[in-house]
Amino acid sequence: MSTVNPAVTLDQEINPWEAQSARFEFAARKLNLDPGLWKVLSSPAREIIVHFPVSMDDGRIEMFTGFRVQHSIARGPAKGGIRFSPDVNLDEVRALASWMTWKCAVVNIPFGGAKGGVICDPTTMSKGELERMTRRYTSEIIDFIGPEKDVPAPDVNTNEQTMAWIMDTYSMHMGHTVTSVVTGKPLNIGGSRGRLEATGRGVEVVCGESLRYLNMPIEGCRVVIQGFGNVGSNAARLMMEQGYKIVGISEKDGGLSNPNGIDIHQLIAYKQRNGTTLGFNGAEATPSEELIVSDCDILIPAATENVITSRNADKIKARIVVEGANGPTTAVADEILAEKRIFVVPDILANAGGVTASYFEWVQDRQGYFWKEAIVNDQLETILRDSFEDVVRYSEAHNVNNRIAAYMLAIDRVAFTIKQRGIYA
Ligand code: GLU
């Protein structure tokens, strides 16, 4: 049985919603999911589209389009990031929202799934323009977010500052400070220790678990990372500190390689100074497409969707692929990687460290009691290790790959909750 419809075109292959649906349907079939619950879970619960004006620095008024999609609130408040990017679209946000539902269920934290996005090019906007856009977008969706309703977080091109603006806008409307409306905030206004590097730390934990499972040593393990943003740079740093050799880093504007290992502390400092990894003299400039298919033990796509597709999957030489990004592998590519017996740790497990630490942040905000960093890291590692174990055992028991196992585990948990709660009518 195949995940993919053989007539699939390239456009369909790289449509994230199609990618999500192909895996959902395959896993639901394997689970023998009740047809009613199948219908409930195969579409988002709520899709909000807003068009809103922002005053630009030169006095012009510009219109922006934003989305917030809530896929499910069955297991708790909807949860998921907000991204700012020129190619944000409804199908992408839909897919990302449902991936959040599955991700929260895989790591068994009490949230549903959501995602938001604004179509914009943040690289061409001033800080003031970004702030005004963020605040107006927040006010447009304000009735639908809240600590018990839907809790946004950072994603592509958004950060602690963006979350501070959202928290402030929401709080001004409520008339009091509501820190738990968003996660990924700065530390002094209700952020959590360990949240910033949590996604990278989770990637490091599941890499370690994968090596243990496959009986491979960390020492000398060669790693290529695509993307050097929050996830890629933190995973690279933590993994280098553990003894991995980071032999390749690829970014949109070009890649770097060094067979003896790149000094990640130096590279992070270089990028902070220059705004790019290009020109770093501790490695050789290498095209990004080459790095993805280069000889290594672990490949970590840690940027955006559709990096491993039918066009390059058969050339991948890594033994293990760990998905730091959401949706980096298409459903067609999944099958090629499976034929090549590549061990894939799927996004809904591999990058779940971020939302797990977000859960800790939300709990701390609601308690008004803040944990030490060691506690956050320790709890995060325990949850990810246990979830990794759950997924590989599920995959062995049902004779499916890790991605389908993770979907099955997640769908089963969400479906069970809906059944217990019943359908309100
Ligand atoms: N944007 C991150 C993700 O895709 C974090 C979401 C969150 O913390 O709510 O998992």
Side-chain angles (χ1 to χ4, degrees):
M1 191 160 69
S2 157
T3 329
V4 177
N5 172 348
V8 82
T9 64
L10 185 66
D11 266 0
Q12 282 168 325
E13 181 189 338
I14 62 168
N15 177 317
W17 180 246
E18 302 272 349
Q20 189 283 142
S21 303
R23 278 72 166 256
F24 170 80
E25 281 174 23
F26 188 88
R29 229 179 354 253
K30 276 259 170 201
L31 277 173
N32 235 334
L33 185 67
D34 169 88
L37 293 172
W38 186 313
K39 280 185 224 162
V40 174
L41 291 173
S42 56
S43 75
R46 187 182 261 157
E47 302 182 339
I48 304 151
I49 305 179
V50 291
H51 305 285
F52 58 92
V54 175
S55 298
M56 307 306 273
D57 289 348
D58 62 3
R60 258 178 324 118
I61 294 172
E62 199 59 78
M63 285 300 286
F64 288 87
T65 297
F67 307 94
R68 185 74 184 167
V69 174
Q70 296 167 352
H71 173 260
S72 170
I73 55 163
R75 286 170 45 92
K79 184 84 192 81
I82 290 173
R83 59 174 59 182
F84 291 167
S85 165
D87 31 61
V88 163
N89 60 72
L90 186 56
D91 264 357
E92 179 191 47
V93 181
R94 262 187 195 134
L96 290 159
S98 53
W99 281 326
M100 287 308 303
T101 303
W102 311 137
K103 193 185 300 185
C104 294
V106 166
V107 288
N108 216 353
I109 57 176
F111 287 129
K115 202 77 168 200
V118 177
I119 306 173
C120 65
D121 182 356
T123 60
T124 64
M125 295 169 70
S126 70
K127 192 167 178 196
E129 290 170 341
L130 279 171
E131 174 172 355
R132 292 192 291 279
M133 185 188 77
T134 303
R135 288 186 183 275
R136 181 63 189 249
Y137 167 68
T138 306
S139 77
E140 295 290 335
I141 61 167
I142 207 150
D143 290 338
F144 305 99
I145 60 172
E148 303 281 354
K149 291 184 181 174
D150 179 357
V151 185
D155 198 78
V156 174
N157 294 331
T158 53
N159 53 30
E160 293 188 340
Q161 177 62 76
T162 326
M163 296 307 116
W165 290 329
I166 299 177
M167 189 278 266
D168 184 68
T169 307
Y170 185 85
S171 298
M172 291 301 105
H173 281 251
M174 296 303 134
H176 58 102
T177 296
V178 186
T179 53
S180 52
V181 64
V182 284
T183 58
K185 297 177 297 295
L187 248 190
N188 60 313
I189 49 167
S192 172
R193 294 184 179 84
R195 171 63 185 89
L196 193 62
E197 56 273 19
T199 315
R201 185 176 297 281
V203 167
E204 179 251 310
V205 172
V206 298
C207 284
E209 292 303 290
S210 304
L211 292 182
R212 212 169 46 79
Y213 183 74
L214 298 170
N215 255 320
M216 292 165 65
I218 288 185
E219 221 50 58
C221 177
R222 296 159 310 153
V223 182
V224 170
I225 303 181
Q226 182 255 342
F228 203 64
N230 176 274
V231 182
S233 64
N234 279 302
R237 181 179 57 79
L238 292 166
M239 290 177 73
M240 183 186 76
E241 288 166 2
Q242 294 277 317
Y244 293 85
K245 218 190 266 180
I246 315 300
V247 295
I249 296 284
S250 92
E251 283 216 285
K252 244 203 251 99
D253 47 3
L256 296 170
S257 67
N258 182 342
N260 299 317
I262 300 171
D263 185 325
I264 301 299
H265 293 139
Q266 281 184 13
L267 184 61
I268 291 174
Y270 181 89
K271 187 170 174 180
Q272 257 159 13
R273 276 197 312 273
N274 301 289
T276 173
T277 53
L278 288 191
F280 176 66
N281 64 12
E284 214 168 287
T286 311
S288 293
E289 319 77 68
E290 248 174 58
L291 279 172
I292 290 166
V293 298
S294 66
D295 195 15
C296 65
D297 301 299
I298 305 184
L299 171 65
I300 305 178
T304 50
E305 297 102 74
N306 299 324
V307 171
I308 305 177
T309 67
S310 54
R311 304 206 159 170
N312 61 2
D314 60 327
K315 300 190 203 84
I316 287 183
K317 297 187 193 69
R319 170 76 185 91
I320 304 171
V321 170
V322 175
E323 297 182 334
N326 291 310
T329 309
T330 65
V332 182
D334 266 353
E335 298 197 349
I336 303 171
L337 299 185
E339 269 165 37
K340 289 167 66 86
R341 310 191 65 77
I342 294 176
F343 186 84
V344 177
V345 186
D347 46 6
I348 56 174
L349 169 63
N351 70 39
V355 74
T356 303
S358 278
Y359 167 50
F360 300 153
E361 181 173 333
W362 180 76
V363 168
Q364 291 171 77
D365 287 341
R366 286 155 56 102
Q367 285 184 324
Y369 176 75
F370 291 87
W371 310 352
K372 291 199 162 41
E373 184 171 351
I375 307 273
V376 173
N377 294 346
D378 189 58
Q379 302 256 16
L380 180 77
E381 284 175 22
T382 306
I383 288 187
L384 284 174
R385 279 210 189 94
D386 291 351
S387 308
F388 178 92
E389 191 67 18
D390 286 348
V391 169
V392 293
R393 295 292 155 241
Y394 215 97
S395 122
E396 287 164 2
H398 296 268
N399 197 20
V400 290
N401 65 37
N402 291 336
R403 188 186 316 278
I404 297 302
Y407 269 77
M408 288 172 73
L409 180 65
I411 294 169
D412 203 23
R413 284 183 175 154
V414 183
F416 182 69
T417 309
I418 297 176
K419 224 164 145 180
Q420 268 184 327
R421 290 179 58 158
I423 303 293
Y424 172 74

